[in-house]
């Protein structure tokens, strides 16, 4: 069976993402959950992302398409990195995240770590050009770097911080879908580069987690983590 391109089909990637993020926007507006501002901002950016990626929102040329898609990659990573910036680096907590206040202590680490994987990929490409000779090699390098960075944040940085139990529990929970989608994207791209077409089918799962599940999961993880702390 030919799996090439199956991960990009409308009903596997675009439709679930549009429906999930439209539902999240309506939910945030009507229910006003604690993370109302965070969910609304990133549901709208994720919705814009999938519309551009699927070319429903057409860019004027290929260069603009690549540039805008790259910007949305950074924003997509920022959804998780912003949580790390609040709790691990700025020393703030749930109240500040709920207000989506953006002091310099949050903006600086968020900016640095959002660009960090790109800088590392660029450094590898500069040092060993043959390693990143194809676009998918670059995708794989980025995916592996972000997966490893997430492991460092959760298993090295987090234990060194004196976070309240609820905050630590929230960050650990929020990292689970990140591990899953970057891990599965890496596996899929390794298979694709080895000529195994099933890799395209595997990519359906991390695409769904990234576009349709992550923000809902953060909402649930936040409520369960901090509700438990109140009892």
């Amino acid at each position: 069976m030919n799996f090439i391109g199956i991960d990009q089909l409308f009903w596997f990637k675009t439709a679930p993402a549009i429906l999930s993020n439209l539902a999240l926007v309506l939910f945030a507006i009507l229910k006003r959950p604690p993370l109302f501002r965070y969910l609304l901002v990133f549901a709208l950016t994720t919705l814009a992302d999938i519309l551009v990626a699927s070319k429903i929102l057409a860019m004027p040329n290929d260069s603009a398409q690549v540039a805008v898609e790259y910007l949305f990659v950074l924003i997509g990573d920022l959804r998780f990195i912003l949580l790390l910036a609040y709790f691990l680096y700025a020393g703030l907590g749930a109240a500040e995240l709920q207000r989506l206040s953006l002091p310099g202590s949050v903006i600086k680490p968020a900016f640095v770590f959002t660009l960090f994987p790109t800088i590392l990929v660029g450094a590898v490409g500069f040092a060993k050009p043959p390693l990143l000779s194809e676009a998918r090699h670059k995708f794989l390098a980025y995916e592996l770097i972000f997966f490893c960075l997430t492991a460092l944040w959760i298993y090295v940085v987090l234990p060194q911080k004196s976070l309240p139990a609820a905050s630590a529990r929230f960050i650990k929970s929020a990292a689970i879908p990140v591990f899953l989608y970057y891990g599965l994207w890496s596996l899929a791209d390794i298979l694709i580069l080895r000529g195994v077409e099933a890799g395209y089918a595997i990519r359906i799962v991390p695409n769904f987690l990234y576009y349709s599940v992550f923000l809902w999961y953060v909402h649930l993880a936040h409520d369960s983590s901090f509700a438990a702390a109140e009892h």
Side-chain angles (χ1 to χ4, degrees), residues 168-180:
R169 184 164 53 245
F170 173 53
I171 292 299
K172 288 179 182 177
S173 295
I176 292 172
V178 180
F179 277 124
L180 287 174

Side-chain angles (χ1 to χ4, degrees), residues 147 179-189 202-203 205-206 209:
F147 183 91
F179 277 124
L180 287 174
Y181 57 68
Y182 270 115
L184 287 170
W185 272 330
S186 299
L187 172 62
D189 283 342
I202 291 173
R203 285 182 61 87
V205 178
L209 292 172

Side-chain angles (χ1 to χ4, degrees), residues 73-225:
V73 169
L74 298 183
I75 295 172
D77 288 340
L78 183 62
R79 300 178 304 175
F80 175 60
I81 290 173
L82 196 62
L83 305 179
L84 300 175
Y86 273 101
F87 290 93
L88 294 189
Y89 294 101
L92 302 177
E96 290 81 9
L97 175 61
Q98 290 166 14
R99 291 195 298 269
L100 205 62
S101 57
L102 294 170
S105 59
V106 169
I107 292 174
K108 290 177 183 177
F111 177 77
V112 169
F113 287 116
T114 299
L115 292 179
F116 194 57
T118 299
I119 294 170
L120 288 181
V121 171
V124 172
F126 179 78
K128 297 286 185 179
L131 290 178
L132 303 181
S133 58
E134 298 180 21
R136 195 165 296 279
H137 287 142
K138 295 178 182 178
F139 299 156
L140 177 58
Y142 190 99
E143 292 153 3
L144 290 173
I145 286 169
F146 206 97
F147 183 91
C148 292
L149 284 174
T150 303
L152 287 173
W153 279 317
I154 299 304
Y155 298 113
V156 178
V157 178
L158 179 59
Q160 296 177 9
K161 304 290 183 178
S162 300
L163 293 186
S167 298
R169 184 164 53 245
F170 173 53
I171 292 299
K172 288 179 182 177
S173 295
I176 292 172
V178 180
F179 277 124
L180 287 174
Y181 57 68
Y182 270 115
L184 287 170
W185 272 330
S186 299
L187 172 62
D189 283 342
I190 289 170
L191 292 176
I192 291 168
L193 287 168
R194 293 178 64 87
V196 180
E197 292 181 3
Y200 292 98
I202 291 173
R203 285 182 61 87
I204 293 171
V205 178
N207 286 348
F208 181 72
L209 292 172
Y210 179 86
Y211 284 107
S212 303
V213 172
F214 178 76
L215 292 173
W216 284 103
Y217 187 92
V218 168
H219 158 66
L220 295 173
H222 175 275
D223 283 6
S224 63
S225 296

Side-chain angles (χ1 to χ4, degrees), residues 14-59:
T14 307
I18 291 174
L19 293 174
S20 175
N21 287 284
L22 284 177
L24 187 55
V25 169
L26 290 174
F27 170 78
I29 292 172
L30 295 175
K31 295 296 185 180
R32 295 278 176 152
L35 290 183
F36 164 72
R37 294 180 182 180
Y38 170 92
L39 294 174
L40 186 59
V41 167
F42 285 115
L44 290 172
T45 58
T46 305
L47 183 59
D49 181 357
I50 193 62
L51 292 176
V52 170
S54 61
K55 299 185 179 180
I56 293 175
L57 287 178
M59 294 296 104

